[in-house]
Amino acid sequence: MGLTKQYLRFESAGIFGVVAAKTCNTAYLKPQSRFVATGGVNVVLVWDTRLQRKVATLNCDSPAVVIEPNIDSTLLAVGHVSGSVSVYDITDKSGESVIEPRITFDGHKSSVTSLAWDDSGTLLASGSKDTRIVIWDCVGEVGVVKYTAHKGSVTHLQFWKDSAYLISSSTDATIRLWDMTVKDAVHTIPFDIAVKGFAVWDDVIIAAESQLRLMRINQDPSNPLQWTTEEFGTLLRTAHDRVSLVKIVGNILVTTGTKSQLVETFYINNAEDAHKKRKKRLKKNPDGSSSIILRDLIRRGPTTKASEEKVKSVDGIVEKNTVKILCTLPSNQLEVFSFPFDDRTVDENKDRKPELLGFDGHRKIVRGICFSSDKTAILTASGDCFRVWNRTNMGCILSILHEYPVLCVKFCPGDRHFVAGTSCGKLLVGDIPLGKITHVEPCGNDSVWDIDILPSNTGFVSCCGSFLQFYEFLIIDGGLKFEMKRQLNVQETAISVKVSPDMKFVAAGLMDHTIKMFYLDTLKFHLSMYGHSLPPVSIDISSDSTLLVSCSADKTVKVWGMDFGDCHCSMSHSDGLNSCRFLERTHQVVSVAKETLNIYDADIHQRIQTLKAHVEGGATCLATQGKFIVSAGKDQTIRLFNRTQEVLVLSDEREQEREEELDKEATEEVPGVASLKTSESEKSADKLIEALDIYKDRPDSHRLMDAYGAKTHEEFILKTINMIKASELEQSIMLLPIEYVKTMTVAITSIFENYPLATEGAFRCLNALMKFHRVTLAGYSDKDTFKTVAELAAKRCKELQDVVGFNLAALSMLQNKKQEKEKVQTFKEMVGDRKRKRKNKEKALKRALLMV
């Protein structure tokens, strides 16, 4: 039997460089404005605005598109592109901690669009592009109900009247009112066009239509299920584009449009002020309307111009009589503007410039990336700045601002300088210790697409237009500069260049879809490589100078022999490729496309591993160094991958990929249940069936019982149920065959009788059995079992209520004691302040008398 190759698995080590993704909203973590939560594609980030640093990272399996904290900001709900909803505990913000989700709900078939918490923080509503609204119980970790009346994507959700009702808007041009008791829609408000969002002030709904349209909703006192709607008016904005966002902060309405840079605010009067305005209006015009009109309720506030157009999200907070409005810009930035909470102190003529939060991140797309020689630093380049990152903690060490359209960048020998090429035909030299660009050299009128440092570390080669230009490093006046020594005309625009490690050849990828190789010493033509149907955007040569790899937008990665230029293999990708590199001292090839990063073995021509990479347009550049891979993309993220010590087996990897594909195909919706049937619920059902078989046979000992540490058969069933996630328990019980339903009923009866502390789990199982297997249980001949389980359930429920009531009373008593202590302490502090002030006055008087 021959030896097989073994590979080590690569895993994601982190995401950095992103401040606020434009596909996700941003939210203040109230009640303070110190902490801000932003979406970072596959992570959610928590920032400290006072210390200007990241304090927590929330890992996500799928890109985050909606985030919503609960009322006291202890929990953060995150909606994903995949349709899942995760809930995180964010009470710990002491350091740069990595937080995993506490609960994950799967109930939507497409991307989540809106989230809303109720006043108690126990119920969470989620809306999706699949037109569904699902209410989740975050304590029981199950779906409560699913609403399906909307015919378009749900755009916004909000609980109303102490969470007794839920209001939803949709692209089907309706706003619906849902009764949480009846669990159905009780009223529908039609509109002319799709409603992008809304805000609620008392009984007035402010809808984001073409303008801000106000509707007053009233309930019929004689018939609580009868609702009426009356037109209240239309609020005109300064900007002429369509409304995209509307939000109420305190008593201030904040809105912005789809295209303009204006963020407009309006003050909303309370009932007392509105009546005063009505009286003043009627004094001036007695023939006017005697009821409150729009002019009485709303008055215009300050308008601020954001730094960029198309503000992606808006959030606000009132702190110390100051309103702070937080805006997410499409260029990976956050900005805040403030104004007084009282409109009488607002200066309309004051120029309010937003304050940009100084978090580390590129404002433009990263076009160049490379490792330092010691693998400790990562250099990235974009059209706004160069940034040096620490690979270990993924923090920014240095930023060098500039205004050049950079396309590529490389560290110079010694890692103290770097050289970069631009699209305006210039080469830049940056000094890292000085933190500035020290030399700018024009090299032509065409773009410098690629740069490669010579293996001898004496210079570099660049491709500018149809010329390969060879430069030599010089030290002049203590600074690094360069001088062009040779130039080669390749007769076609070159977009990639690479020098072989043995200093024998130089290869260039050309716009005519070919790769040409030349002798480095004489610059004479050696051979051409044909095969790509589109230009090769990236090429690389292995460390032993025997293989060349190229990739193109034609979705192929090709491996060529350096001796004869023959194509050894062509490996296909799912998307057009952006970059490819050899791993150091191996024949393993790394290539990155839109959303995936693939690792191939160029010797056996097989794919080793596929990693999830960038979204929203894909990757732009890639770099490898030893056991590290780093890539940057149009989603503003920089992703680092590390090689682990876990051995990867190709056959197991392919089998796992096939299972994932089958899981996607098998995922289907279960009618009336606020969740999806998944492979996990099927596995949990199999575990439960196996446990019920053991319970039915009642052997003296069993290996599974010993593994679970169960002494009795009832304890074994109980531990099996506890190992199943609460969100999957109903699905698992629903999938039970008919013959196991009776056994499950008997087992629950024994659990009620022998394990009083397991009442909650047993109730959940009993409810699921009655919900899905009522017909089967109705034909069950043993009626005594039902009578017994009903009596035991009522008894355990009464005991549980007594325990909860006793604990609530004890907690209330402790809270009252704490409040009394705080009042006494406050009184002591006030008395102490008065004494100190009196003593200070006496001392000042004595000093004045002494001076006289």
Side-chain angles (χ1 to χ4, degrees):
M1 182 178 178
L3 295 175
T4 59
K5 260 190 174 182
Q6 287 188 341
Y7 306 95
L8 296 179
R9 184 182 297 276
F10 276 86
E11 288 185 353
S12 176
I15 299 174
F16 58 99
V18 60
V19 176
K22 58 186 177 182
T23 55
C24 185
N25 67 308
T26 302
Y28 274 119
L29 300 183
K30 301 174 178 64
Q32 298 179 351
S33 63
R34 177 175 178 178
F35 297 104
V36 174
T38 65
V41 189
N42 284 96
V43 292
V44 174
L45 307 171
V46 179
W47 301 91
D48 188 335
T49 59
R50 187 183 302 171
L51 301 178
Q52 298 287 307
R53 66 184 182 91
K54 182 173 59 179
V55 295
T57 302
L58 282 57
N59 283 339
C60 304
D61 294 332
S62 177
V65 289
V66 183
I67 58 176
E68 183 68 28
N70 63 348
I71 192 168
D72 57 356
S73 295
T74 56
L75 298 175
L76 184 69
V78 179
H80 304 284
V81 171
S82 62
S84 61
V85 179
S86 301
V87 179
Y88 297 83
D89 187 346
I90 54 172
T91 54
D92 180 19
K93 294 186 282 289
S94 58
E96 292 193 7
S97 56
V98 177
I99 304 173
E100 299 295 335
R102 198 183 78 173
I103 314 167
T104 299
F105 298 116
D106 291 311
H108 295 288
K109 295 189 290 185
S110 57
S111 176
V112 178
T113 55
S114 181
L115 295 170
W117 289 92
D118 72 335
D119 294 339
S120 64
T122 57
L123 292 181
L124 175 66
S126 64
S128 171
K129 288 183 178 179
D130 63 2
T131 74
R132 311 297 173 86
I133 300 171
V134 182
I135 309 298
W136 307 97
D137 182 0
C138 294
V139 177
E141 301 182 9
V142 293
V144 178
V145 66
K146 180 186 291 183
Y147 299 136
T148 60
H150 279 298
K151 305 302 179 184
S153 299
V154 179
T155 55
H156 188 61
L157 297 170
Q158 185 174 337
F159 282 96
W160 185 50
K161 285 195 174 182
D162 299 327
S163 304
Y165 299 93
L166 177 70
I167 305 176
S168 64
S169 63
S170 172
T171 56
D172 61 3
T174 60
I175 289 181
R176 293 183 183 270
L177 178 66
W178 309 86
D179 192 322
M180 298 300 294
T181 305
V182 180
K183 294 183 179 180
D184 200 0
V186 293
H187 187 59
T188 301
I189 306 174
F191 289 85
D192 298 330
I193 58 175
V195 182
K196 292 292 185 180
F198 65 89
V200 183
W201 178 264
D202 291 337
D203 58 348
V204 177
I205 296 177
I206 306 169
E209 209 185 27
S210 56
Q211 289 292 337
L212 292 172
R213 186 176 170 187
L214 281 72
M215 313 287 289
R216 173 164 277 163
I217 183 169
N218 300 308
Q219 187 177 20
D220 189 353
S222 59
N223 186 5
L225 296 179
Q226 186 68 33
W227 295 80
T228 59
T229 305
E230 61 175 322
E231 194 80 24
F232 194 69
T234 300
L235 196 61
L236 298 179
R237 299 163 52 243
T238 304
H240 301 290
D241 56 342
R242 183 178 174 181
V243 182
S244 62
L245 296 167
V246 58
K247 194 175 187 68
I248 290 180
V249 180
N251 68 331
I252 297 172
L253 177 68
V254 184
T255 180
T256 185
T258 55
K259 294 181 180 179
S260 70
Q261 298 175 248
L262 296 180
V263 179
E264 302 178 54
T265 60
F266 300 87
Y267 286 93
I268 305 177
N269 294 325
N270 54 28
E272 183 180 353
D273 292 339
H275 283 293
K276 288 180 180 178
K277 294 274 287 185
R278 181 181 64 86
K279 288 180 180 179
K280 288 181 181 179
R281 178 174 53 81
L282 291 176
K283 282 182 180 179
K284 294 180 181 179
N285 183 16
D287 297 333
S289 175
S290 60
S291 61
I292 294 175
I293 61 176
L294 182 61
R295 190 171 58 184
D296 303 331
L297 184 65
I298 295 179
R299 59 194 187 279
R300 186 171 293 277
T303 299
T304 304
K305 191 174 183 180
S307 301
E308 299 175 18
E309 293 183 355
K310 300 181 181 179
V311 176
K312 294 301 178 181
S313 74
V314 171
D315 196 17
I317 192 171
V318 179
E319 188 177 41
K320 296 180 181 178
N321 293 324
T322 301
V323 180
K324 294 184 177 181
I325 305 299
L326 178 69
C327 300
T328 306
L329 303 181
S331 62
N332 194 29
Q333 293 185 96
L334 296 175
E335 66 178 8
V336 179
F337 66 89
S338 307
F339 57 90
F341 182 70
D342 188 357
D343 64 328
R344 289 170 292 185
T345 60
V346 173
D347 185 4
E348 292 293 338
N349 298 321
K350 182 180 178 181
D351 185 16
R352 294 179 186 83
K353 291 185 178 179
E355 173 194 356
L356 284 172
L357 299 182
F359 301 131
D360 297 327
H362 285 281
R363 310 299 176 232
K364 296 183 179 180
I365 297 173
V366 176
R367 296 294 180 183
I369 191 168
C370 62
F371 277 100
S372 62
S373 59
D374 58 359
K375 309 171 188 176
T376 59
I378 300 171
L379 174 64
T380 57
S382 68
D384 66 317
C385 67
F386 296 98
R387 290 186 184 269
V388 182
W389 307 84
N390 186 328
R391 181 189 54 79
T392 305
N393 59 17
M394 289 173 275
C396 184
I397 305 170
L398 175 68
S399 295
I400 303 176
L401 301 179
H402 67 86
E403 295 180 354
Y404 297 97
V406 175
L407 295 177
C408 54
V409 68
K410 286 288 189 297
F411 268 111
C412 295
D415 298 333
R416 292 176 57 86
H417 302 81
F418 61 84
V419 59
T422 68
S423 62
C424 58
K426 293 181 180 179
L427 291 171
L428 313 177
V429 173
D431 191 314
I432 293 177
L434 295 179
K436 64 180 182 179
I437 297 172
T438 57
H439 183 58
V440 179
E441 179 75 22
C443 60
N445 297 324
D446 297 313
S447 300
V448 181
W449 288 104
D450 198 8
I451 290 174
D452 189 37
I453 304 296
L454 296 177
S456 61
N457 292 333
T458 58
F460 65 94
V461 58
S462 67
C463 52
C464 179
S466 60
F467 292 94
L468 299 184
Q469 298 172 340
F470 297 83
Y471 294 87
E472 183 179 321
F473 290 125
L474 301 173
I475 302 295
I476 301 176
D477 298 332
L480 181 69
K481 295 185 179 180
F482 50 83
E483 180 182 2
M484 188 170 67
K485 294 296 184 180
R486 295 186 295 172
Q487 186 171 271
L488 174 64
N489 190 353
V490 294
Q491 307 299 326
E492 190 69 39
T493 302
I495 57 176
S496 55
V497 65
K498 183 67 180 177
V499 179
S500 62
D502 59 2
M503 294 285 289
K504 188 176 180 181
F505 300 106
V506 57
L510 308 180
M511 286 293 289
D512 62 359
H513 310 172
T514 65
I515 302 167
K516 290 187 177 181
M517 291 182 59
F518 303 86
Y519 290 101
L520 185 60
D521 51 357
T522 62
L523 299 184
K524 289 184 178 181
F525 176 74
H526 174 51
L527 53 83
S528 291
M529 302 174 184
Y530 301 91
H532 282 293
S533 58
L534 289 172
V537 294
S538 178
I539 61 174
D540 194 20
I541 298 176
S542 61
S543 54
D544 58 2
S545 301
T546 59
L547 297 177
L548 182 144
V549 64
S550 63
C551 68
S552 171
D554 61 5
K555 303 182 183 180
T556 59
V557 178
K558 295 184 182 293
V559 179
W560 314 82
M562 292 285 289
D563 294 332
F564 306 102
D566 55 325
C567 183
H568 288 192
C569 65
S570 180
M571 297 169 286
S572 61
H573 215 289
S574 58
D575 297 295
L577 290 117
N578 303 93
S579 185
C580 62
R581 290 290 182 270
F582 274 108
L583 289 176
E584 193 176 10
R585 293 190 295 275
T586 68
H587 283 180
Q588 294 181 23
V589 178
V590 182
S591 64
V592 65
K594 284 186 178 179
E595 297 185 0
T596 55
L597 186 146
N598 283 358
I599 303 174
Y600 300 95
D601 190 332
D603 292 330
I604 63 174
H605 312 157
Q606 286 189 12
R607 178 167 52 88
I608 301 172
Q609 188 180 0
T610 298
L611 298 168
K612 292 182 180 179
H614 302 272
V615 297
E616 302 170 31
T620 56
C621 48
L622 170 73
T624 59
Q625 183 70 283
K627 58 181 181 180
F628 304 107
I629 303 172
V630 65
S631 67
K634 293 181 181 178
D635 56 4
Q636 302 285 3
T637 63
I638 304 169
R639 298 172 185 253
L640 179 66
F641 302 91
N642 292 352
R643 187 171 62 199
T644 64
Q645 296 302 314
E646 181 184 354
V647 177
L648 185 148
V649 182
L650 293 182
S651 58
D652 295 346
E653 196 74 9
R654 300 292 88 81
E655 182 65 28
Q656 184 177 354
E657 291 175 1
R658 284 192 292 271
E659 289 180 359
E660 291 176 356
E661 291 178 1
L662 291 173
D663 289 344
K664 289 181 181 179
E665 294 175 359
T667 300
E668 58 182 18
E669 186 176 2
V670 181
V673 182
S675 61
L676 298 178
K677 186 177 78 174
T678 63
S679 59
E680 293 296 327
S681 61
E682 292 177 354
K683 292 177 183 177
S684 301
D686 292 339
K687 289 181 182 178
L688 191 56
I689 290 171
E690 189 175 8
L692 290 172
D693 284 333
I694 297 172
Y695 178 81
K696 190 175 182 180
D697 296 339
R698 290 189 171 273
D700 295 334
S701 63
H702 196 276
R703 286 178 295 177
L704 277 178
M705 291 179 62
D706 296 338
Y708 284 14
K711 297 179 181 178
T712 63
H713 297 90
E714 289 79 8
E715 186 181 359
F716 176 58
I717 292 290
L718 181 59
K719 289 194 173 184
T720 304
I721 293 172
N722 291 336
M723 289 180 67
I724 301 173
K725 290 182 180 179
S727 57
E728 297 172 356
L729 184 60
E730 282 195 358
Q731 294 290 319
S732 303
I733 294 177
M734 185 192 71
L735 295 173
L736 283 179
I738 295 175
E739 59 268 19
Y740 288 93
V741 174
K742 299 176 182 178
T743 309
M744 186 72 181
T745 308
V746 175
I748 290 174
T749 306
S750 301
I751 291 172
F752 269 128
E753 188 174 358
N754 300 318
Y755 297 93
L757 297 179
T759 301
E760 185 179 351
F763 260 114
R764 193 173 294 165
C765 294
L766 187 60
N767 287 334
L769 284 171
M770 295 302 296
K771 184 176 182 180
F772 300 114
H773 304 285
R774 186 178 300 174
V775 177
T776 304
L777 293 173
Y780 191 19
S781 58
D782 190 1
K783 304 297 181 182
D784 294 335
T785 304
F786 283 115
K787 185 178 180 181
T788 304
V789 74
E791 292 174 353
L792 286 172
K795 179 182 177 182
R796 297 304 184 202
C797 184
K798 182 66 171 59
E799 292 174 356
L800 196 61
Q801 286 177 343
D802 293 340
V803 172
V804 172
F806 181 83
N807 291 338
L808 283 174
L811 290 172
S812 299
M813 184 185 70
L814 292 174
Q815 185 180 10
N816 293 334
K817 286 185 177 180
K818 184 180 178 182
Q819 289 177 351
E820 289 176 1
K821 287 182 180 180
E822 289 177 352
K823 289 179 181 178
V824 172
Q825 184 65 27
T826 304
F827 178 75
K828 288 181 179 178
E829 290 177 357
M830 292 174 61
V831 172
D833 289 339
R834 290 179 180 175
K835 287 183 178 179
R836 281 195 297 272
K837 288 179 180 178
R838 187 172 65 251
K839 287 181 179 179
N840 290 336
K841 287 182 179 178
E842 291 176 356
K843 288 179 181 179
L845 183 61
K846 289 178 181 178
R847 283 197 298 270
L849 292 173
L850 289 173
M851 289 175 66
V852 172

